[in-house]
Amino acid sequence: MTSPVLLGVRHHGPGSARAVRRALAAYRPDVVLIEGPPEADALIRYAADAAMRPPVALLAYPADLPAGRPRADATEAGTGQEQGGGAARAAFWPFADFSPEWQAIRWATRHAVPVRFCDQPAAQQFARSAPVGAATGEPVDPLGALATAAGYDSAETWWEDVVEHRVDAAVAGAAEELARALAPFEAIAEAMSAVRAAAPPRADADRAVEDQREAHMRTVLRAALREHARVAVVCGAWHVPALAGPLPPAAHDARVLRRLPKAKIAITWVPWTHGRLASWSGYGAGVTAPGWYHHLFTTADHAVPRWLVQVAGVLRAEGHPVSSAHVIEGVRLAEALAALRGRPAPGLPELTEAVRAVLCEGDDLRVALVDRQLVVGDVLGEVPADLPAVPLIRDVAAAQRRLRLPPEAAARDVDLDLRRDSDRGRSHLLRRLGLLGVPWGATLPARRGKGTFWESWRLAWQPEFAVDLIAASGYGSTLPAAAAARVRERAASADTLAGLTELVEACLLADLSDALPDVLRALDARVAADTDVGHLLTALPPLARTLRYGDVRATDAGGLGSVAAGLVVRACVHQPGAPTALDEAAARGLRAAVDGAHGAVALLAEAGADRGGPDLRERWFAALDRAAGRPGAPALLAGRLVRLLADSRRLDQAEVGRRMAVALSAGTPPADGAAWIEGFLGGGGLLLVHDRQLLGLVDAWLSAVPPAAFVDVLPLLRRTFGEFAAPERRAIGDRVRPLRPGDTGAGPVDDLDQERADIVLPTLAALLGWEVAA
C-alpha cells in the first residue's frame, strides 16, 4: 500500500488553493479525497456545470423537517456552519472560488478523476445532541501558535507572508516540479505535528467528536488506498498528522465508529455570499477579507496596483474625487510600509493604511465603504436550476426568473408600479415570502409625489433564506399554497383583533384569496366576542386601507365591507363609555387609536362600505360627541375629540369656544387644562392662527394660572407647542402680541440707534438687492 499525498490547507485561503491546484497537476492522483460530508458525493458532478458559480455551499438538513418553527442563530461549525435549531436545524459547508477544496473538486472533475468527501457523515453529526461541528475547533489556534513562533503578532499576517503571497517559479522536469509543489505541504504537516503534540488536553466530549471525525477520514482513506495507487487528500492542516502513516489498525477506528446514531438528512447546493464567508459573520472557518482573497486568487500579476484601482473606482462611484496620482502614491506607500515591516509584499493591513491616508484622506467613513464593498464584498453565487431541492425552493426560483427579480446579496431599493402586472406580481412574491418568514424585502415609507399605486422595497437576499424555505416547505409545495396555509394557521391562533385585521390586509396584499374566507370567519368571530373599544379601534385602519386601495392591486375584497362596517358600529356602541378611569398612558394610547380609526372611517365611507358610507360617518361623529361630553373622560382625550369634531365641521366656532371655555375654567385643575389643550392642538397650531377667539381663551387661561401651578403646566405646554412647525409658532406669537393691553404689535421703535443702523444698511441692501438713496 503506497502512502497518500496529504495536502493540509487553510480553508478559504487563496495561497492554499493555488498550491493545491499545482500539487494535483504535478502528482496526477487516481482519486481525490476532500474534507466534507460524504452524503454530498452524488452532488459533486454539479461543480463542473457552467451554471455553478461560487461562492456556493452544501446545505444539509433533516429530511423529515416539519414546518412552522422559528430558526435559531448561526453557530460555529468547523468547516461547516450550522444554522438553526429544532425543526429548522441545518448545516452549511461553504466554498469560494479561492477555497482549496473547491479548486480540488474543479481540477478532479475537469480531468475525470474520481473525487469523494471523507469527513464524518452529516447524518451522524445531526444525530448527536451537540451542534453540527461545534466541537471540531482546535484546542489551540494552530496558525496562531506557528505565527508566534515565527515572531508575528497576527496569524493572518503570518499565513499571508508564508503561503498566500507565495508565487513559485516553474522548474524543469516532472520530478522537480512535484517536489517543489509538495514542499509547502510537507512543512505544514511537520509544523502541525509539533503543534498537536504540544496542545493542552481537550475535554472528553470535544476529544470524542474529533476522534470520530478523524477515524472516519482514515476509514475512507484505507478504502481508497485499496482501490487506487495514487491518492491525494485535501483537508484542514490540523487533521494531517492524524492521517499520516503509520495509521492505527482498522479495528481501532471501527470501534470508535461503532453504533453511532444516524439521522435522516437531505443535502443540496445553495448560493452563498462573500459576506457569509467573513469570520465576523459567525462562521468558524471564515476569513476576515473574502473580497481581498478573491482578488489575490484571480489576479495573475500586479495585485497591489489593481486593488487600488478598484478602490478608486468604488470611491469615484460615490462622488469622491480620486485621481491616478492618488493610486500611484497609494501603491508607493503600501510598498514602503511592507519594506519597513519586513514583509515580502504589501498585505491588506498595508493597503488599508495606504487607502486611509492617501485615497480616503483620513476619512474613516470612506474606509468603511471600501471595506464593505471590496474587502468583504457582496458577491452572491449561483447554482444550476436542475439541482435537487424541495419543491417550494424550486417554485420560488421559478417565480424569481419569471418576474425578472433575481436575488442579490447587496441591498438595493426598487419601486413597484402596482398598475403593471409584472410589478404587482413582484409585490405578491415579496409579501408571500414575508408571510413565510423569509424577509427578502422590507417595505419603505411612501415617497413624496408617489401615488397609492406605488410601493417601495429594499431587497437583500441572504443564503440562510434557503433554510427558512425548507422549514416552510411543510406548508405546501408552491409559494401561494404555502403562504395561504401559513395565513390560516396564524388566523386560527391569533389572540388579538388587531392581529387578525392586519392578517386580512396582508392576505389581500399578497393575493391569497383562497385563505381570505377563513381569516374573515376568524375575524367575524373575534369581533362578536371582543368588547374592548381600544381593540376595535385599532383593528379598523388595516381594513379601511384594504377596501380603499385594494382596487389598485386588483384584489378581491368580497365580504370585507360588511365586516368593516360591523366593526365601526360596535366601536360606536362601546366608545362613549370607554374613556373613563384611564391613566395618562392609557389615555394617550386611546387617543392614537381614535386618530387612526377616524381616518379609517373616512376611507370606509368613501369606499361605500356596507352600502352606507354616510351612515357610518354619522354614527361615528355621534359617538365622538357623546364620548367627548362624558363626565370623567380624560382631558387629553376630550380635547382631541372636540378637535376632530371641529375639523369635521360638526361643531361650529361658537360651540368649540364654549367647550374650550368650560375645559379651561377656573374650577378646572391647571394640569387638566394643559392636557385638554394638548389633545385639542396636537398635530398643528393653525387653528389658533386663524381663530382669535380660541387664541384669546388659551391666552387668558394661561395668564390666570397660579405661579405655583405654572411650573407643572409649563412642560406640558412646551411639549404641545414644540410639535408645531416654526412658521406656526411665529404666527401664533404675532397674533398674541395685539392681545396685550397697550401693545398693537406695530409702530416705530423708540430706542433705535440710527447711527449704528446706518453702518449695516449698505451691506443689508447689497444682500437684498435694494438701492439705498445717497
Side-chain angles (χ1 to χ4, degrees):
M1 183 181 296
T2 60
S3 298
V5 167
L6 304 178
L7 307 178
V9 301
R10 181 194 187 194
H11 302 297
H12 315 307
S16 290
R18 284 193 298 267
V20 163
R21 192 168 59 185
R22 181 179 181 183
L24 293 176
Y27 182 56
R28 295 285 174 175
D30 300 326
V31 65
V32 178
L33 305 181
I34 297 174
E35 182 181 337
E39 293 92 341
D41 284 351
L43 300 176
I44 291 177
R45 63 185 180 90
Y46 289 99
D49 195 311
M52 180 78 87
R53 299 178 182 176
V56 293
L58 287 168
L59 164 63
Y61 57 92
D64 55 349
L65 191 67
R69 300 189 187 177
R71 174 173 51 78
D73 292 331
T75 56
E76 180 179 326
T79 58
Q81 181 178 2
E82 187 186 7
Q83 185 76 39
R89 189 170 181 235
F92 296 95
W93 284 263
F95 300 88
D97 197 32
F98 50 83
S99 299
E101 299 89 344
W102 180 257
Q103 288 301 316
I105 292 173
R106 295 299 293 265
W107 182 90
T109 55
R110 280 197 300 267
H111 293 83
V113 174
V115 56
R116 307 171 193 164
F117 287 112
C118 62
D119 203 349
Q120 185 180 18
Q124 295 178 0
Q125 298 186 52
F126 270 86
R128 61 173 176 253
S129 57
V132 179
T136 62
E138 293 80 21
V140 295
D141 175 13
L143 301 183
L146 294 175
T148 301
Y152 282 76
D153 296 331
S154 166
E156 193 91 7
T157 303
W158 173 81
W159 186 268
E160 282 195 8
D161 286 357
V162 175
V163 178
E164 307 302 350
H165 292 302
R166 177 189 177 100
V167 179
D168 290 332
V171 295
E176 292 82 357
E177 175 60 23
L178 177 61
R180 176 70 67 86
L182 297 182
F185 296 107
E186 294 170 354
I188 288 173
E190 183 178 353
M192 285 300 149
S193 297
V195 172
R196 286 183 65 131
R202 306 193 66 180
D204 292 343
D206 292 348
R207 186 171 62 252
V209 171
E210 184 176 289
D211 288 346
Q212 292 170 14
R213 292 186 65 200
E214 294 179 343
H216 193 276
M217 290 181 187
R218 289 191 293 265
T219 301
V220 175
L221 177 57
R222 293 189 190 94
L225 289 171
R226 286 193 297 269
E227 299 174 7
H228 303 280
R230 302 168 70 83
V231 178
V233 182
V234 180
C235 63
W238 175 260
H239 301 294
V240 169
L243 305 181
L247 299 179
H252 170 272
D253 290 339
R255 285 193 299 271
V256 174
L257 300 174
R258 185 175 301 148
R259 296 188 182 134
L260 289 180
K262 294 183 179 181
K264 188 176 180 181
I265 70 160
I267 195 164
T268 187
W269 289 104
V270 295
W272 204 247
T273 68
H274 277 175
R276 285 295 183 270
L277 282 171
S279 54
W280 49 261
S281 67
Y283 173 35
V287 292
T288 58
W292 163 244
Y293 276 178
H294 178 79
H295 174 77
L296 280 181
F297 183 75
T298 57
T299 304
D301 55 6
H302 304 297
V304 171
R306 294 178 187 274
W307 176 259
L308 291 182
V309 167
Q310 293 184 49
V311 172
V314 168
L315 294 173
R316 288 169 185 162
E318 295 295 325
H320 301 296
V322 180
S323 67
S324 57
H326 285 91
V327 175
I328 295 171
E329 291 303 319
V331 171
R332 290 174 177 171
L333 178 56
E335 292 175 344
L337 289 172
L340 288 172
R341 295 168 180 174
R343 303 195 63 185
L348 187 60
E350 290 74 29
L351 284 169
T352 300
E353 292 181 34
V355 166
R356 174 180 284 107
V358 181
L359 281 75
C360 295
E361 299 176 342
D363 187 349
D364 287 337
L365 290 178
R366 300 187 207 176
V367 177
L369 172 68
V370 173
D371 286 343
R372 185 172 63 252
Q373 294 196 18
L374 280 184
V375 177
V376 175
D378 50 16
V379 177
L380 177 66
E382 298 179 17
V383 298
D386 59 343
L387 267 173
V390 296
L392 180 58
I393 292 182
R394 288 181 175 275
D395 187 63
V396 171
Q400 290 170 333
R401 291 192 297 270
R402 183 179 69 255
L403 297 170
R404 297 181 181 179
L405 196 65
E408 297 179 4
R412 63 188 179 105
D413 295 347
V414 296
D415 291 330
L416 303 180
D417 184 350
L418 301 177
R419 297 169 297 182
R420 298 168 52 188
D421 292 342
S422 59
D423 279 0
R424 192 162 57 247
R426 291 167 182 164
S427 177
H428 294 161
L429 171 63
L430 295 171
R431 292 185 181 277
R432 290 167 181 173
L433 287 172
L435 288 170
L436 290 177
V438 183
W440 179 20
T443 55
L444 299 175
R447 300 184 182 181
R448 296 185 61 184
K450 297 286 187 180
T452 57
F453 46 81
W454 285 93
E455 281 184 350
S456 296
W457 293 81
R458 176 160 295 161
L459 308 183
W461 184 265
Q462 303 296 336
E464 57 266 29
F465 289 163
V467 181
D468 298 325
L469 288 172
I470 291 169
S473 62
Y475 289 116
S477 58
T478 66
L479 182 57
R486 176 61 176 143
V487 165
R488 294 189 188 97
E489 181 184 77
R490 289 176 58 184
S493 61
D495 55 359
T496 65
L497 186 58
L500 273 172
T501 55
E502 290 174 358
L503 194 57
V504 169
E505 183 182 26
C507 184
L508 287 168
L509 295 180
D511 193 25
L512 301 175
S513 56
D514 291 344
L516 183 59
D518 298 293
V519 182
L520 289 179
R521 280 192 292 270
L523 176 62
D524 200 26
R526 187 78 187 187
V527 169
D530 201 328
T531 59
D532 188 302
V533 69
H535 294 170
L536 296 171
L537 295 175
T538 305
L540 274 171
L543 296 182
R545 289 194 299 266
T546 303
L547 278 171
R548 174 63 178 83
Y549 303 122
D551 58 334
V552 175
R553 297 169 174 84
T555 55
D556 181 10
L560 189 58
S562 59
V563 174
L567 200 60
V568 174
V569 172
R570 292 185 63 83
C572 292
V573 170
H574 294 289
Q575 183 174 336
T580 57
L582 299 179
D583 59 16
E584 182 182 357
R588 291 186 180 279
L590 190 55
R591 180 185 67 167
V594 167
D595 282 345
H598 184 71
V601 169
L603 291 177
L604 290 173
E606 184 179 343
D610 198 27
R611 300 181 182 177
D615 245 358
L616 287 179
R617 193 174 296 182
E618 292 301 328
R619 283 175 177 267
W620 174 253
F621 287 132
L624 292 184
D625 200 6
R626 292 194 302 272
R630 182 177 179 84
L636 176 73
L637 187 60
R640 188 60 183 166
L641 296 178
V642 171
R643 175 63 181 273
L644 294 178
L645 292 167
D647 288 346
S648 303
R649 298 184 180 179
R650 301 293 158 164
L651 298 177
D652 57 23
Q653 186 176 4
E655 178 62 17
V656 173
R658 187 191 68 80
R659 296 196 184 195
M660 178 180 283
V662 171
L664 303 180
S665 62
T668 303
D672 287 347
W676 197 96
I677 290 176
E678 181 182 358
F680 184 78
L681 296 179
L686 285 179
L687 190 62
L688 292 183
V689 176
H690 298 295
D691 194 326
R692 287 182 175 273
Q693 179 188 0
L694 297 182
L695 181 61
L697 287 172
V698 174
D699 184 66
W701 166 79
L702 184 58
S703 301
V705 173
F710 186 80
V711 177
D712 298 328
V713 170
L714 184 59
L716 301 177
L717 294 176
R718 288 188 56 144
R719 179 170 58 192
T720 301
F721 283 85
E723 295 178 354
F724 299 165
E728 292 180 354
R729 293 198 298 268
R730 286 195 298 269
I732 292 173
D734 292 339
R735 298 301 189 275
V736 169
R737 186 181 297 112
L739 299 177
R740 296 285 182 266
D743 185 358
T744 64
V749 181
D750 296 334
D751 58 349
L752 176 64
D753 188 333
Q754 188 64 45
E755 184 177 349
R756 297 182 64 188
D758 290 340
I759 297 175
V760 301
L761 279 176
T763 302
L764 182 60
L767 292 174
L768 298 177
W770 294 347
E771 292 185 6
V772 180

